[in-house]
Amino acid sequence: MHRSRSGFTLIELLTVTAIISILTVLTTAAVDNALQQSKATSCVSNLRQWGMALAMYCADHDGYTPRRGQGVQPVWIINRPDDWFNALPPYFGQLSYNDAVQQGNPAKPGDKSVFVCPSAAGEPQYANFLCYGMNMYLSPWIRPEPHKMQELPNPSQLAFMSDAPGGWASTIPSSLGYSVIARHNGKANVVFMDGHIQSFDGKYIGCGTGEPNPELPDIRWQTLTGGVNQAVMP
């Protein structure tokens, strides 16, 4: 008499287990990729607001840009109204960074804030936490006046602001601590002086490896307005 089978053989159970494991890995990778993409999209949205605020600020100030804040050292001077992190937030209805600090509510990792890149949630907490940095060559305090938009050649090629380490107000690609950060799967988001945004491979623009390459065809950090290398200035 023929007997019907009940249950699974060992080989069948191992096969099913292997398939489930593979599907779990694939699903986890897909979810992680979607999450990272969502964070990168939120970062782009933040930078778009900063770029729009820059345009409105320049329109209100005879073409002058805000100041970049401090340079090669972590930022600790936060009360100057002309620095970008104080001058621009009112243009999208938010408190200046200094006012937020005075009210006991400064930006910090994990906040849903235009100051904070979502992908920076696990990064170190600095005394003043700014996930974005203005181009270090633009409008340093050593200049008698900030740069004017009209004097900057090819604004569509000139970086205005990008992903940066949390403790600095200004940044450029560098091997030093203030370097642009490629925190989006090896890419860094950059908003340009004309307001458009682009994502760049960190190795391509020199994140963590060296100073900005002036020969790149699609992005530059140098203002081309003459003068000394302002990146080494306060």
Side-chain angles (χ1 to χ4, degrees):
M1 182 176 62
H2 177 72
R3 295 183 178 180
S4 61
R5 293 176 54 192
S6 63
F8 296 95
T9 66
L10 178 59
I11 292 178
E12 289 172 332
L13 288 173
L14 291 174
T15 300
V16 170
T17 301
I19 292 173
I20 292 174
S21 297
I22 292 171
L23 291 176
T24 300
V25 170
L26 293 175
T27 301
T28 301
V31 170
D32 183 66
N33 184 65
L35 179 60
Q36 294 304 318
Q37 185 59 44
S38 175
K39 290 180 178 180
T41 300
S42 295
C43 175
V44 167
S45 178
N46 288 346
L47 287 172
R48 181 170 289 111
Q49 292 189 67
W50 288 115
M52 293 172 63
L54 170 67
M56 290 185 285
Y57 179 94
C58 291
D60 285 347
H61 292 82
D62 195 29
Y64 285 105
T65 68
R67 295 285 188 174
R68 66 163 195 196
Q70 289 167 266
V72 297
Q73 71 271 50
V75 61
W76 58 272
I77 300 174
I78 63 171
N79 61 355
R80 295 184 295 206
D82 293 336
D83 283 338
W84 67 266
F85 48 82
N86 291 325
L88 298 184
Y91 284 94
F92 40 76
Q94 293 202 17
L95 292 174
S96 71
Y97 184 81
N98 184 59
D99 285 347
V101 169
Q102 297 305 315
Q103 294 187 17
N105 190 33
K108 58 185 181 298
D111 282 356
K112 291 184 178 180
S113 165
V114 73
F115 284 102
V116 180
C117 172
S119 295
E123 294 180 10
Q125 171 71 69
Y126 295 88
N128 292 295
F129 191 73
L130 304 168
C131 287
Y132 303 108
M134 184 169 157
N135 183 346
M136 194 176 288
Y137 292 122
L138 275 168
S139 299
W141 280 97
I142 194 173
R143 283 176 61 97
E145 292 184 329
H147 281 101
K148 255 190 167 183
M149 185 71 78
Q150 296 91 322
E151 70 177 305
L152 298 168
N154 300 322
S156 64
Q157 187 190 35
L158 179 60
F160 164 56
M161 183 180 291
S162 70
D163 284 304
W168 280 262
S170 54
T171 186
I172 52 174
S174 173
S175 59
L176 301 177
Y178 52 77
S179 177
V180 175
I181 296 291
R183 56 168 62 101
H184 302 290
N185 291 324
K187 294 186 176 182
N189 292 327
V190 179
V191 58
F192 288 78
M193 295 299 291
D194 70 343
H196 88 274
I197 300 168
Q198 195 168 341
S199 181
F200 291 91
D201 184 273
K203 294 180 179 178
Y204 174 72
I205 61 175
C207 296
T209 61
E211 299 306 310
N213 180 356
E215 304 300 325
L216 296 180
D218 47 2
I219 182 172
R220 78 174 197 277
W221 303 84
Q222 295 84 352
T223 62
L224 304 182
T225 54
V228 297
N229 183 342
Q230 305 293 357
V232 300
M233 299 299 176

